[in-house]
Amino acid sequence: RFSEAERAFHRALGLCEQVYGLYHPMVVIMHNNLAMAKVHQGKYEEAMILYHNSLLIQQAMAISHPTMVESRCDLILLMREHGLLSPPKDDPSTPLASSSRSSNDPSPAKDEKPLRDLLRPSTTL
């Protein structure tokens, strides 16, 4: 069903860009929702690109928006889960920092939730 959601979010993103232009909060939300659908399908690189694009659009809009925090958090979680970003060294309470799993093991540690369980569709405007 996530492939259906991906197609729907892709269509919605195209419509939002046509109606509102590139620099609008709805476009950012659709980028985030499309990224989330890709995460649920294991398309992590595509999701990271969408989250990054979402952040770039928000920076270009030069506004403070709740979706910007959400995009940044989702991108950081995705990058950490795939070993592209290390947790802060001075924060031993970070689950990933205290994990005893190897860096080659993509599965979450015993007490960690998979990234797809942490991400939710954007709804804030």
Side-chain angles (χ1 to χ4, degrees):
R1 301 222 31 137
F2 287 110
S3 62
E4 292 174 31
E6 179 184 354
R7 287 191 298 276
F9 286 135
H10 196 281
R11 283 192 305 273
L13 174 60
L15 289 171
C16 285
E17 287 176 347
Q18 286 178 354
V19 171
Y20 300 116
L22 184 60
Y23 302 104
H24 190 277
M26 279 303 297
V27 173
V28 171
I29 289 169
M30 288 302 118
H31 269 92
N32 290 347
N33 288 346
L34 181 54
M36 184 231 16
K38 289 188 180 282
V39 165
H40 282 281
Q41 296 176 84
K43 299 177 181 179
Y44 302 115
E45 288 183 22
E46 293 176 39
M48 281 189 265
I49 291 168
L50 286 162
Y51 284 131
H52 187 258
N53 288 344
S54 171
L55 289 169
L56 291 174
I57 292 168
Q58 291 174 70
Q59 287 174 343
M61 290 180 355
I63 61 169
S64 178
H65 195 275
T67 304
M68 188 167 197
V69 174
E70 184 177 318
S71 301
R72 188 174 294 132
C73 289
D74 290 346
L75 179 58
I76 288 169
L77 285 171
L78 185 57
M79 291 176 74
R80 279 188 184 167
E81 186 171 284
H82 291 278
L84 301 173
L85 184 67
S86 299
K89 300 279 187 225
D90 59 343
D91 186 3
S93 66
T94 304
L96 293 175
S98 61
S99 173
S100 61
R101 66 187 168 131
S102 78
S103 60
N104 295 331
D105 182 5
S107 61
K110 183 178 167 185
D111 296 334
E112 291 178 26
K113 288 186 177 182
L115 176 66
R116 65 180 169 270
D117 293 343
L118 299 174
L119 301 179
R120 301 289 177 253
S122 297
T123 55
T124 52
L125 276 177

